[in-house]
Amino acid sequence: MEQVRLNEDLGLSYPDGFQVMSAEELSKLRFSGGAPQWCISDPERHMILSISWKKVNGLVAKLLSAKDIAKDTEAKLSRPMKTYGYRMEDFFELELDGKSTAGFLYRYTVQGIGMSGKTLTVKNGRTIYYIYFYFRTAARKASLETLDEILDSVRWTGAAK
C-alpha cells in the first residue's frame, strides 16, 4: 500500500498496481471541469481515481451540505456525459473518517466499452473535495471493493478536521 497526503489535509492509502499519473498522461484524458489536482490509475485493472479540491468562502461552506454539492456535481457532470449515454444509477451518503459524504453512481459507454463511475463530495472546513472513480462496468464488484479499501483508509489530518 502506498500512502499520500493531499492538500496537507487528506491522507489516504492505495493498493499496489496504482501509479500517480503524470501531467502528460492527464493531458490525454478529458475531465469535466479540468484536470484533477491528483490522479492515480491502475492500467491492468482499468481503474482511475482522481481527487480535486477547492476552498470556498465561510458562508458557502456553512450553507452547503455534501448532499447539495453532490447534486450540483451530478447535474454538471451529466450534461457533457450525455454524449456517452450517461445514466445516473443512485445517490448515496456515507462517512469518511467522521465527515459526511454524498455522491452518486453512474454508467456510460466509451468506444463501445461499458464504463461506470462513482463520485463523492465531502467538505472539510472550507475545503470541498471531489473524488471521482472510473472503472469498467464488467469489473464492477472488484473495482468497487478496491474503492472501498481506499476510502476506508481516508484520514483527515488538517486543522479543519
Side-chain angles (χ1 to χ4, degrees), residues 103-151:
F104 53 98
L105 211 57
Y106 52 97
R107 291 181 189 224
Y108 59 101
T109 304
V110 175
Q111 298 176 347
I113 299 169
M115 299 294 295
S116 292
K118 188 170 186 174
T119 297
L120 296 91
T121 60
V122 61
K123 284 189 321 179
N124 190 34
R126 292 181 36 211
T127 304
I128 299 172
Y129 289 86
Y130 301 87
I131 303 170
Y132 297 89
F133 186 60
Y134 308 97
F135 55 94
R136 287 196 173 169
T137 303
R140 179 184 177 108
K141 185 177 186 302
S143 296
L144 289 175
E145 287 172 358
T146 299
L147 176 62
D148 287 345
E149 182 180 352
I150 294 168
L151 295 176

Side-chain angles (χ1 to χ4, degrees), residues 12-24:
L12 62 86
S13 300
Y14 55 93
D16 295 337
F18 279 93
Q19 311 160 5
V20 176
M21 295 179 74
S22 68
E24 181 182 335

Side-chain angles (χ1 to χ4, degrees), residues 70-90:
K71 286 185 183 251
D72 181 63
T73 302
E74 193 279 331
K76 288 177 181 171
L77 180 70
S78 68
R79 285 182 221 117
M81 292 290 287
K82 285 195 188 313
T83 305
Y84 303 102
Y86 174 90
R87 293 178 315 280
M88 203 275 290
E89 292 182 354
D90 191 26

Side-chain angles (χ1 to χ4, degrees), residues 28-80:
K28 295 176 184 174
L29 300 174
R30 284 194 264 167
F31 291 95
S32 176
Q37 282 129 314
W38 184 78
C39 192
I40 56 175
S41 70
D42 183 333
E44 280 190 32
R45 294 187 283 180
H46 305 283
M47 294 183 284
I48 296 175
L49 174 76
S50 71
I51 301 178
S52 295
W53 56 87
K54 71 178 179 182
K55 197 163 219 124
V56 295
N57 74 43
L59 182 60
V60 171
K62 287 194 184 310
L63 293 176
L64 290 178
S65 69
K67 190 173 182 178
D68 295 331
I69 298 164
K71 286 185 183 251
D72 181 63
T73 302
E74 193 279 331
K76 288 177 181 171
L77 180 70
S78 68
R79 285 182 221 117

